[in-house]
Amino acid sequence: MGSPQVKVIPSIILKEGSRRSYEKEAQLYNLLASEVVFETIRTVLGPLGYRKILVDTFGDTTITGDGATIMSELEVEHPAAKLIVDAAKSQNKEVGDGVTSLLVLTHLMFKEADSLIKIGIHPSIIIEVYTEGVRKGLDALKSELAIKIDPRNTDVLKKVVLSAISLSLSAESRERLADIAVEAVKRIIEKGFENTRVFDDFLKTEKKSGGSILDTRLVEGVALDKEIVHPDMPRRVENARIALLDMPVEVKKTETDEKLKFSDAKMIREFLKMEQKMMSDIVEKIAGLKVNAVFVQKGIDDYAQYLLAKKGIMSLRRVKKSDMEKLALATGAKIVSVLEDLTEDKLGFAGVVEERKIGSEKWTFVEKVPNNAVHTILVRGENDKIVDEAERIIKNCIAVLRTLIEEPYVLPGGGAAEVFFSRKLFEIAKGGREGIVLESLSRVFDSYVKQIVSNSGGDPEEILTELKAMHAKESNTTGFDAFSGSIIDAVEKNILDSYRVKKTAYLAALETATILLRVDDVITAAKMKPPKGREGGAEE
């Protein structure tokens, strides 16, 4: 007679205070987390979307309608919400636009999939059909709807950029920012730098409140928010011979704290003379190379400033490392860390180096540089909040232009691409479980269009019905004009979107929703307890 079988109950041994939710409960919590992110972001979607006021833990406020900025400012705890936020950050890093679309589509896909699970369709089938549906839809978008453009055609580039800028700005401000972004990118690609990953090396963005957005301008060269260190130095230097020093122009300090004792005043005078001789040798070395503009990453001694001023050498100190790198790229100078390495071939050149007043501050401009692909966009605005938002818009515009150079295709905007996508999905739905899943995916893109219309003050159901009717008549470029609230031909009205941005947003939304669908267990570790002796604020 054998021994009785012992029944083993599987279990997970967790630390006290840990929490576990699984299957339906886990799915519900993830859906709720997705819903919270969606409700936060949905009203931002579209050209007439609302803005959010975000207040951080220090009390600083940010006013923005940019989905990426909103997500970066949110401090989320739920793992599903963190996953969605990470997806938004990746989208912003990859293409710089389409973050709000990604967030909205992620939730809509997840919500529709949850409804399918409730009627008995397995997540694996949903994921497989969704993936195939998005792939076929994107193929149809590119082959049947996308328009190939010439990335050197500035008129087309400007149309796409204008579509990416919120209509909440005045028409003049939108035109100004679009013109600057297009001109900056145009000058880079004219120099043959078509690798868009180097755009950040060539373009520098600075901001200064005061004036208006219309005062924003493109500087050919480098603009520095630094003033010349000595009042007797020249304020303008033409045909500048430039030295870039990553070293202090001052007496070296000892590595250890030492005290010097002098027995009489003569020793003090000798010591000071020795220090002055060191500064004089440095300045003579610079002057001997006929340098007339020096940019120093570290400090400049007061006596050295005096000597440089006597020699007529313009000098700036504590220049940021990133600015030094831009100066090196623009002027051809090499950054020198040891004075002995400063030779003729390490110098750079600029047609003009000049100090000018911007608002109440003094800035230094290095212009007419050999590498005129290097530019600074100086963003202006009535106050800090407007300047910050204008800077975000400029960066988004440049990111969109980058995608157009990488993949030169555009799509009709105003929801036309989403209505087309939805119709294609509905057409390939052949009944059965797969057909039901594809129809639910088509509803995702319908809901997306309805959200844009709703944010613009239109009737979502009525507009969507009309758009679908027009697309059924093969008017595939028909979209919704948020500004006028009417149905239009998006291509004729120059409402265009980057195909690359749309494609990346659709695929990222699919991937994020897929990951959430595959989760059936959430285990949250217990919070760490404070060390003994520190409970209740006790100190050592």
Side-chain angles (χ1 to χ4, degrees):
M1 186 175 176
S3 58
Q5 292 284 332
V6 178
K7 187 175 181 181
V8 178
I9 301 174
S11 62
I12 298 177
I13 300 173
L14 302 173
K15 189 175 179 180
E16 184 182 354
S18 298
R19 185 175 178 279
R20 182 186 180 197
S21 57
Y22 51 92
E23 295 180 356
K24 290 184 179 179
E25 185 185 7
Q27 201 75 26
L28 176 61
Y29 284 151
N30 288 346
L31 183 61
L32 289 174
S34 172
E35 183 87 40
V36 170
V37 174
F38 172 73
E39 288 299 327
T40 303
I41 208 77
R42 67 178 180 83
T43 55
V44 174
L45 186 66
L48 284 179
Y50 289 84
R51 296 186 177 189
K52 307 288 182 183
I53 297 179
L54 309 170
V55 185
D56 64 19
T57 51
F58 297 103
D60 295 330
T61 60
T62 302
I63 303 173
T64 183
D66 179 52
T69 305
I70 295 168
M71 287 297 104
S72 66
E73 293 290 332
L74 290 182
E75 295 180 5
V76 298
E77 288 292 334
H78 195 283
K82 282 184 178 179
L83 176 68
I84 296 169
V85 170
D86 287 344
K89 290 178 180 177
S90 296
Q91 170 83 5
N92 189 51
K93 186 178 179 181
E94 181 65 24
V95 294
D97 195 25
V99 173
T100 307
S101 297
L102 158 67
L103 295 167
V104 170
L105 287 170
T106 297
H107 173 71
L108 293 173
M109 284 184 188
F110 190 27
K111 187 177 179 182
E112 284 289 344
D114 183 68
S115 300
L116 295 173
I117 291 170
K118 287 175 180 174
I119 63 172
I121 299 178
H122 195 275
S124 295
I125 295 172
I126 298 170
I127 291 166
E128 182 183 346
V129 177
Y130 270 20
T131 303
E132 185 67 13
V134 170
R135 186 188 66 76
K136 287 183 177 178
L138 285 172
D139 288 345
L141 271 183
K142 190 165 186 177
S143 62
E144 299 178 36
L145 193 63
I147 304 164
K148 188 168 185 179
I149 62 163
D150 177 3
R152 294 177 182 272
N153 185 333
T154 54
D155 289 338
V156 175
L157 296 181
K158 184 178 175 181
K159 290 171 185 176
V160 181
V161 165
L162 281 171
S163 298
I165 301 176
S166 169
L167 291 176
S168 57
L169 291 181
S170 68
E172 293 85 356
S173 296
R174 294 173 71 245
E175 287 276 343
R176 181 65 177 162
L177 296 180
D179 284 337
I180 287 173
V182 170
E183 183 62 24
V185 170
K186 173 191 167 189
R187 292 184 185 183
I188 292 175
I189 61 176
E190 280 179 350
K191 286 293 176 182
F193 298 105
E194 295 195 11
N195 176 8
T196 61
R197 298 301 167 185
V198 303
F199 278 22
D200 290 339
D201 297 332
F202 289 99
L203 282 176
K204 176 176 184 280
T205 306
E206 289 285 355
K207 53 188 179 182
K208 178 73 180 75
S209 59
S212 74
I213 290 178
L214 296 178
D215 296 322
T216 299
R217 61 194 179 99
L218 183 64
V219 178
E220 185 182 310
V222 183
L224 306 167
D225 58 341
K226 295 283 180 184
E227 60 181 294
I228 295 164
V229 296
H230 196 280
D232 292 338
M233 288 178 179
R235 262 45 198 168
R236 178 183 171 91
V237 173
E238 295 185 2
N239 299 318
R241 289 167 61 87
I242 294 169
L244 303 179
L245 304 180
D246 178 19
M247 52 169 277
V249 183
E250 53 193 12
V251 177
K252 291 182 180 179
K253 295 181 180 178
T254 57
E255 292 184 7
T256 57
D257 291 333
E258 296 289 346
K259 291 183 179 180
L260 300 176
K261 292 184 179 181
F262 300 97
S263 57
D264 58 46
K266 183 180 178 182
M267 292 178 68
I268 298 174
R269 285 196 297 272
E270 290 297 325
F271 182 78
L272 291 175
K273 279 184 181 178
M274 186 174 67
E275 283 193 341
Q276 290 175 355
K277 175 81 167 50
M278 290 171 65
M279 291 299 99
S280 179
D281 289 345
I282 293 173
V283 173
E284 286 298 329
K285 167 80 172 175
I286 293 169
L289 292 168
K290 297 181 181 178
V291 171
N292 50 14
V294 176
F295 298 84
V296 181
Q297 195 169 328
K298 296 181 176 133
I300 303 178
D301 184 84
D302 289 346
Y303 184 64
Q305 292 179 29
Y306 163 73
L307 293 175
L308 288 164
K310 278 187 69 176
K311 297 283 187 182
I313 300 173
M314 177 192 287
S315 306
L316 282 80
R317 63 180 172 183
R318 309 203 188 285
V319 180
K320 292 183 293 188
K321 182 182 178 183
S322 59
D323 288 342
M324 293 288 280
E325 290 169 352
K326 289 285 189 300
L327 285 167
L329 193 62
T331 65
K334 302 290 188 296
I335 300 172
V336 175
S337 300
V338 181
L339 189 64
E340 287 73 20
D341 291 342
L342 185 62
T343 53
E344 179 78 24
D345 61 316
K346 300 291 196 308
L347 302 183
F349 303 90
V352 176
V353 180
E354 184 177 16
E355 182 186 81
R356 300 172 195 154
K357 252 195 163 184
I358 303 293
S360 59
E361 295 178 4
K362 292 177 181 177
W363 286 53
T364 303
F365 293 80
V366 182
E367 298 175 318
K368 297 182 180 178
V369 292
N371 184 359
N372 57 7
V374 179
H375 288 79
T376 303
I377 299 174
L378 183 55
V379 184
R380 305 297 305 279
E382 287 80 356
N383 56 54
D384 290 342
K385 307 306 176 194
I386 292 175
V387 169
D388 289 344
E389 184 69 354
E391 183 188 32
R392 282 190 284 269
I393 290 170
I394 280 282
K395 288 181 175 178
N396 278 1
C397 291
I398 291 168
V400 169
L401 290 169
R402 191 169 68 188
T403 67
L404 291 173
I405 294 166
E406 291 173 345
E407 197 165 359
Y409 289 89
V410 296
L411 292 168
E418 284 73 26
V419 174
F420 175 86
F421 203 99
S422 171
R423 186 165 68 87
K424 282 294 172 185
L425 291 171
F426 199 82
E427 285 175 359
I428 62 176
K430 302 295 183 183
R433 287 183 304 179
E434 288 77 7
I436 293 171
V437 175
L438 281 174
E439 287 177 14
S440 80
L441 185 58
S442 76
R443 288 195 295 271
V444 167
F445 292 90
D446 289 346
S447 299
Y448 177 90
V449 176
K450 287 196 282 188
Q451 189 62 58
I452 292 177
V453 176
S454 176
N455 291 348
S456 305
D459 185 323
E461 296 293 343
E462 182 183 334
I463 296 294
L464 180 63
T465 302
E466 193 171 343
L467 284 173
K468 285 188 166 243
M470 293 297 291
H471 277 250
K473 297 175 183 176
E474 299 301 321
S475 298
N476 293 334
T477 57
T478 304
F480 173 70
D481 183 2
F483 191 73
S484 65
S486 57
I487 302 294
I488 45 86
D489 186 305
V491 175
E492 287 181 6
K493 282 288 186 177
N494 298 321
I495 301 174
L496 303 171
D497 293 327
S498 163
Y499 170 76
R500 171 76 180 278
V501 170
K502 289 281 188 187
K503 179 179 77 172
T504 309
Y506 292 177
L507 291 173
L510 172 67
E511 185 177 351
T512 309
T514 296
I515 293 171
L516 292 173
L517 279 171
R518 289 193 184 277
V519 173
D520 72 340
D521 214 337
V522 179
I523 302 169
T524 309
K527 290 187 178 180
M528 291 181 65
K529 294 180 181 178
K532 290 182 180 179
R534 293 179 182 248
E535 295 181 16
E539 296 182 1
E540 291 181 349

